[in-house]
């Protein structure tokens, strides 16, 4: 189990799909809709900052997961407490993605299908994927990410006839406070959620390449999302902020000579795969974390109960899309900041205060 | 040793086959949860919106295709009565959605709205505000944003009931007709998506084409005439066909059509065919006064003349070009005068300002009606005559 290894390249791909994950269908920072593609760069900068801090932590404690670092830094009791908090964070991230995709499917394609009929197969596949291990997830993720990149690049050509430059204007019409708030919203979701990878970094076979791999993944994901957002604004204009799922609506607008229309299901399927990877990573990480928290020897038996847990809690945590939207807008920036910046920063600070022998091992 | 291995392999083979079988069963026996078969659907091509006779709720009318009748047109032999290829249904309810669902009291099949092409709205509904009436069509996943919007003073059922001309169903005919608006450029076709885009621009007023029925040889037929002006989401007035083209010139949407005027200095008329046109609108704000510059460029050709003079000389061309520019300028001015009268920014000057000088827009948007009325507008038309047709002078001059 522990002998599983992924390459830095696979890590990059995992970061891309985890970042694109559910943001692509339910974006944060929607009030800044028209300028979102620009604000994305600001958020990417902040997100890279968060990631740098987290990676510094990994550098000080190479080969250790976040939970192991917690125990080293805070001692067994408080360490476990912090780890427990993060377990909740992973659960909520996974449940959020699951809720988004179930709602998307319910409002667009499977209108009268009950939630459970969608959730159960979904969770079965997630558990199955997790049981196969991170190597398999990482390997199967590669073609999926390539397909997503291909799709987003192809959309540039599909919307040439309906893209209007005027829709992009005005470029800067928001007060500074709104720009900062919305950029923070995007910095924590999707970029900040990458803090989850602290649990997986020890599995990378070339630890010295980890930082580059993570950064490359985040930048690439940021560029892709910004490009997609740029196209969506150019096509939908200001109307885009009206929609719950703007990206879906964007693909609905494609119309080439009345022949190539109604393509929305193809991107939908593609984004579903990104969502799968994201949820799978969340469940996988939760299992690894739980095993370490309770000093269990095997991770394998945990996937199924955790799958059931996420299945049961998704609708408890996100009962409706309107609450979900409000959560993303008003709560998530604080919540995310706590987990993506404050806690890693605190741990890093404590780790420096404690000093210790780890320093020599950092290269 | 080998025997045990063999048995193990066989067991594995059995296990694999069983899984494969299960997979097959899963793939081939599953169906969609909420599948809808074609024979259980009533495919709606056109919808109409009206108030209920009592006044409170909405009455929605539907034009539903009878697919069987379309497949075999004219097969009425055997004495059987030939049905029209569509069925018109009315249904009412306190909201549009409920009215649509109430249609199942009469229709044996569930209404399927994804293929509907036109939405005909009664003027009374439009006068009261379109937002509550159109919310369903934007929110629900079934109707598409490519729906054509139309206004009518009559009951929408009258429009659906009218003869469809060469088509089978009038909704189809209307949709086809709107897409060739460029033959006259005196209609401005508007899709639901465009309506939503403009209404979200806040300062811009919408326009919707007006349709009505006329009597022709004892048969009812539909007819397009003019444009309704929607300020905010309420109908405030109308433009006639010429004013509509004035609007289209400014929007750069004139992609064809003909233009007729008296030949300068001669007795008789000339009709020019418009090939292409383009427009540039610039809006500037100086000391909270709005100055608009409209530049229109037109390419056209001589299509018809009723004078006996040779109009093909460069000298005559020059005169025709100048006259044509004046006529176009007149059309734009007529549209502008109406728009000022209604206080409705149908040209999207505000939207232009929103994009290029957002600070000024934010300052002026609250009182846009007044600013729009007081704006100084400078119109420049550059008309170029490029073609003659197949002849030079008229046969007798």
């Amino acid at each position: 189990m522990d002998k599983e290894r992924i390459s830095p390249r696979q890590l990059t791909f995992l970061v891309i799909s985890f970042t694109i994950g559910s943001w692509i269908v339910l974006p944060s920072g929607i009030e800044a809709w028209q300028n979102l593609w620009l604000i994305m760069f600001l958020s990417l900068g902040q997100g890279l900052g968060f990631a740098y801090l987290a990676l510094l932590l990994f550098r000080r404690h190479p080969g250790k997961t976040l939970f192991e670092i917690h125990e080293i830094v805070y001692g067994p009791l408080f360490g476990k407490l912090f780890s427990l908090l993060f377990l909740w964070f992973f659960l909520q991230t996974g449940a959020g993605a699951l809720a988004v995709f179930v709602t998307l499917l319910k409002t667009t394609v499977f209108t009268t299908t009950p939630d459970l009929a969608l959730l159960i197969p979904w969770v079965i596949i997630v558990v199955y994927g997790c049981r196969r291990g991170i190597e398999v997830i990482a390997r199967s993720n590669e073609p999926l990410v390539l397909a997503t990149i291909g799709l987003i690049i192809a959309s540039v050509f599909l919307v040439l006839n309906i893209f209007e430059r005027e829709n992009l204007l005005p470029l800067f019409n928001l007060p500074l406070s709104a720009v900062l708030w919305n950029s923070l919203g995007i910095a924590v979701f999707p970029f900040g959620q990458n803090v989850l990878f602290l649990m997986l970094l020890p599995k990378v076979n070339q630890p010295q390449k980890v930082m580059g791999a993570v950064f490359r993944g985040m930048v690439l994901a940021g560029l892709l999302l910004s490009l997609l957002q740029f196209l969506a604004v150019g096509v939908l204009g200001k109307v885009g902020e009206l929609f719950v799922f703007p990206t879906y609506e964007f693909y609905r607008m494609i119309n080439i000579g009345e022949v190539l229309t109604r393509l929305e299901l193809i991107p939908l399927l593609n984004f579903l795969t990104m969502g799968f990877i994201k949820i799978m990573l969340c469940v996988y990480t939760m299992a690894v974390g739980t095993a370490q928290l309770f000093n269990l020897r095997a991770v394998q038996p945990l996937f199924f109960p955790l799958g059931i847990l996420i299945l049961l809690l998704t609708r408890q945590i996100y009962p409706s899309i309107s609450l979900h939207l409000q959560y993303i807008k008003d709560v998530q920036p604080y919540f995310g900041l706590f987990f993506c910046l404050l806690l890693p920063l605190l741990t890093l600070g404590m780790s420096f205060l404690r000093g210790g022998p780890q320093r020599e091992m950092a290269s | 040793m080998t025997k045990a291995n063999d048995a193990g392999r066989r067991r594995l083979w059995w296990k694999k086959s069983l899984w494969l079988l299960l997979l097959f069963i899963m793939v081939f026996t599953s169906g969609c949860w909420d599948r809808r078969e074609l024979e259980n659907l009533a495919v709606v091509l056109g919808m109409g919106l009206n108030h209920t006779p009592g006044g409170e709720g909405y009455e929605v009318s539907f034009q539903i295709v009878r697919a069987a009748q379309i497949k075999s047109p004219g097969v009425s032999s055997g004495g059987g009565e030939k049905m029209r290829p569509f069925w018109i249904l009315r249904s009412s309810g306190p909201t549009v959605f409920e009215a649509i669902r109430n249609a199942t009291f009469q229709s044996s099949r569930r209404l399927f709205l994804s293929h509907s092409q036109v939405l005909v709205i009664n003027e009374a509904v439009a006068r009261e505000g379109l937002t509550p009436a159109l919310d369903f069509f934007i929110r629900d996943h079934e109707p598409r944003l490519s729906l054509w919007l139309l206004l009518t003073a009559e009951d929408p059922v009258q429009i659906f009931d009218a003869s469809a001309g060469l088509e089978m169903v009038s909704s189809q005919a209307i949709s086809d007709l709107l897409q060739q608006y460029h033959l006259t450029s005196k209609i401005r076709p508007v899709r639901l998506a465009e309506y939503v885009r403009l209404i979200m621009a806040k300062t811009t007023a919408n326009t919707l084409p007006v349709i009505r029925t006329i009597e022709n040889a004892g048969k009812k037929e539909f007819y397009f005439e003019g444009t309704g002006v929607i300020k905010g989401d309420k109908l405030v007035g109308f433009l006639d066909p010429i004013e509509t083209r004035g609007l289209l010139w400014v929007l750069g949407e004139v992609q064809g059509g003909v233009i007729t005027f008296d030949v300068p200095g001669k007795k008789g008329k000339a009709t020019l065919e418009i090939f292409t046109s383009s427009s540039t609108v610039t809006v500037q704000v100086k000391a909270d006064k709005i100055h608009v510059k409209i530049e229109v460029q037109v390419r056209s050709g001589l299509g018809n003349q009723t004078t006996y003079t040779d109009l093909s000389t460069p000298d005559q061309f020059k005169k025709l070009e100048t006259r044509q520019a004046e006529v176009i300028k007149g059309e734009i001015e007529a549209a502008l005068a109406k728009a000022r009268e209604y206080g409705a920014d149908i040209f999207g000057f505000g939207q232009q300002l929103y994009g290029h000088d957002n600070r000024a827009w934010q300052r002026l948007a609250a009182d846009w009606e007044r600013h729009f009325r007081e704006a100084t507008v400078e119109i420049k038309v550059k008309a170029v005559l490029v073609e003659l047709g197949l002849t030079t002078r008229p046969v007798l001059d």
Side-chain angles (χ1 to χ4, degrees), chain B residues 57-72:
Chain B
Y58 292 98
E59 183 188 85
V60 185
S61 43
F62 306 90
Q63 188 172 36
I64 299 163
V65 233
R66 282 201 178 101
Q69 294 294 320
I70 295 227
K71 252 186 248 157
S72 53

Side-chain angles (χ1 to χ4, degrees), chain B residues 113-313:
Chain B
L113 307 179
S114 282
H115 291 295
S116 44
Q117 311 203 356
V118 297
L119 177 61
V120 184
I121 304 160
N122 184 272
E123 281 169 13
V125 176
R127 270 182 213 285
E128 254 174 47
L130 283 172
T131 307
L134 293 183
D135 179 73
F136 170 80
F137 300 99
I138 303 164
R139 186 180 299 272
D140 196 72
H141 70 285
E142 241 180 49
R144 296 182 187 269
L145 287 177
S146 56
L147 210 58
W148 295 109
L149 298 187
L150 305 157
L151 284 176
T152 184
E154 301 163 46
D155 185 350
V157 168
Q158 300 298 318
I159 308 291
F160 296 141
D161 196 39
S163 154
L166 295 176
E167 306 298 327
M168 288 286 184
V169 185
S170 49
S171 299
Q172 185 65 46
I174 292 170
S175 164
D176 290 350
L177 196 147
L178 283 172
Q179 286 174 61
Q180 28 164 320
Y181 81 98
H182 54 80
L183 294 181
T184 60
S185 293
K186 288 179 185 173
I187 313 169
R188 175 155 196 263
V190 177
R191 290 185 191 270
L192 183 55
E194 169 78 357
Y195 170 83
V196 176
R197 187 177 76 82
L198 291 188
I199 202 163
M200 284 196 71
K202 295 230 166 58
T203 50
T204 311
N206 257 296
T207 51
L208 299 182
V210 177
I211 192 170
R212 64 189 180 88
T213 54
I214 51 168
E215 201 78 19
N216 189 4
K219 256 189 171 172
K220 245 190 315 179
E221 286 178 347
F222 63 78
Y223 187 77
F224 276 95
E225 195 170 44
T227 301
V229 177
I230 313 278
K231 191 164 104 184
D233 67 344
K234 292 183 178 65
L235 177 67
V236 290
F238 297 94
L239 304 178
D240 67 24
I242 291 294
E243 289 156 358
T244 306
R245 189 157 65 191
L247 166 67
L248 288 173
W249 288 119
V250 181
L251 298 177
E253 286 176 12
V254 175
Q255 297 306 328
V258 294
I259 194 165
T260 303
F261 47 81
D262 293 327
V263 178
K266 302 282 185 309
K267 207 165 155 266
K269 292 178 191 301
T271 297
L272 307 186
E273 178 171 9
I274 306 153
F275 296 136
T276 55
S277 88
S278 63
S279 76
T280 329
V281 178
T282 41
V283 181
Q284 283 173 327
V285 178
K286 274 184 201 132
D288 283 3
K289 282 267 179 284
I290 293 163
H291 183 74
V292 184
K293 213 186 270 173
I294 301 169
E295 281 170 70
V296 179
Q297 297 196 329
V298 192
R299 279 163 55 87
S300 53
L302 185 60
N304 197 181
Q305 68 175 82
T306 60
T307 54
Y308 287 92
T309 16
D310 181 4
L311 293 180
S312 69
T313 60

Side-chain angles (χ1 to χ4, degrees), chain A residues 142-154:
Chain A
E142 281 176 78
L144 297 179
V145 169
L146 288 179
T148 309
I149 295 176
L151 175 81
I152 294 179
I153 307 244

Side-chain angles (χ1 to χ4, degrees), chain B residues 37 39-40 56 84 99 117 138 254 265 318 323 334 337 343 353:
Chain B
E37 306 290 347
E39 62 262 28
N40 298 326
E56 273 304 288
R84 295 179 85 176
Q117 311 203 356
I138 303 164
V254 175
K318 197 109 238 135
R323 183 77 194 110
L353 201 61

Side-chain angles (χ1 to χ4, degrees), chain A residues 102-119:
Chain A
V102 169
T103 312
L104 174 65
L105 286 176
K106 272 197 64 127
T107 43
T108 54
V109 194
F110 303 106
T111 43
T112 56
T113 311
D115 273 12
L116 272 185
L118 293 172
L119 277 167

